[in-house]
Each structure stands twice: as structure tokens, then as C-alpha cells.
Amino acid sequence: LASRLLFTDMARGMIPMSEQYGSDEIRWYFRTLFELAPPITDVDEYLDALAARSALARRWLTLLEDFPTIVCPLLTRGLLAVDEDFRDTPTLYAIWQSLYPSISVNLMGLPAAMVPTGLHAGLPTGVQVIGGRFREDRCLATAELIEAATPVTTPPG
């Protein structure tokens, strides 16, 4: 749902620009993503998608009444290697599916903050802090607490 709505928006502006001015790689990237979740072209389907988004947002807002902030991963997998998302179609699809914690928050228009949590195997780690609508203050306060409890680290040079 999130990808289809996002790609519907992108199809009107960003895609024509990438087709005209983008590299072969970026044109492949967007064409491949559109195969994963084709843009919505039917008005009734678009309205149904917006209604589904509203229903999901309401469920999240209800959850956030009991839990004012939610801490979760940004990705459901480890960090990406440089240009990993340009390797091949199955890899690109897997990466986009691993982004669903982040994409879902964007779909519902909820504020979120990313905060580093240290290193694992020499690579940076972090979490996403999600709050209710217009509660950026809660996201930032929770992120500040997490950051204060996390030692400052830099990846080995």
C-alpha cells in the first residue's frame, strides 16, 4: 500500500525527470520498483488505497494512545553495502521490503526520529522512534534519552 501510493506520486513528477535526465542505473532502479508496486491509475482504486491508509493510521494512533512512543528498527535487516540496491531485481525487492518499518511510518504521516545506538561488527546501528501525530517533541525526547545512554563511537578508519 505504501509503495503503491508513493510510486503513484512519483509517477507524476520524479519518474519523467529520471527518465529524461537520469543515468541508466537510476532508470533501471525506478522501472524495477514500479514492477514491484505499480502506480495506481484508477481513481476508485486510489480512493480505496487512501481509505486503507486512513484505517491503518487510526490503528496506529490508537496504539500510540497507550504507548506514546514506539522504538523499532528502520530496516528489518542489516545495513546495506554500497550500491547493494543496484545489484539485481531480487536484491532491490528484498531491500525495499526490509524498509517497511520506515515506509509505514511515512505512509501514515507520523513523526519519527533516527538515533544511533552504537556499532555492531564495525558498522553503525540505530533505532527509529515513532510518535503520534504532531508529537515530534516525544520522538526527540525519547531519542535524546537513547542517545545519552549510548557511548559515542566512530567506525574504525
Side-chain angles (χ1 to χ4, degrees), residues 115-157:
V115 60
T117 57
L119 297 174
H120 176 72
L123 295 173
T125 60
V127 293
Q128 175 178 223
V129 180
I130 304 166
R133 286 210 175 122
F134 310 111
R135 294 312 311 251
E136 290 85 351
D137 60 324
R138 287 184 176 165
C139 292
L140 294 172
T142 303
E144 185 177 32
L145 291 171
I146 294 168
E147 191 172 37
T150 303
V152 175
T153 58
T154 57

Side-chain angles (χ1 to χ4, degrees), residues 43-59:
V43 172
D44 288 333
E45 184 180 0
Y46 188 74
L47 292 174
D48 289 343
L50 291 178
R53 180 183 69 179
S54 294
L56 287 172
R58 179 66 196 130
R59 290 176 68 189

Side-chain angles (χ1 to χ4, degrees), residues 66-112:
D66 294 328
F67 302 96
T69 56
I70 296 172
V71 177
C72 69
L74 174 68
L75 295 163
T76 59
R77 53 157 280 167
L79 289 177
L80 282 67
V82 174
D83 289 337
E84 182 179 354
D85 52 342
F86 286 94
R87 280 188 193 153
D88 54 48
T89 299
T91 302
L92 180 58
Y93 286 1
I95 289 168
W96 266 82
Q97 289 173 339
S98 76
L99 286 167
Y100 283 167
S102 173
I103 292 170
S104 299
V105 172
N106 293 326
L107 169 72
M108 293 174 284
L110 299 175

Side-chain angles (χ1 to χ4, degrees), residues 16-30:
M17 294 299 286
S18 70
E19 285 293 326
Q20 183 173 358
Y21 300 110
S23 65
D24 290 342
E25 291 84 7
I26 204 67
R27 286 194 303 271
W28 170 84
Y29 185 90
F30 286 120

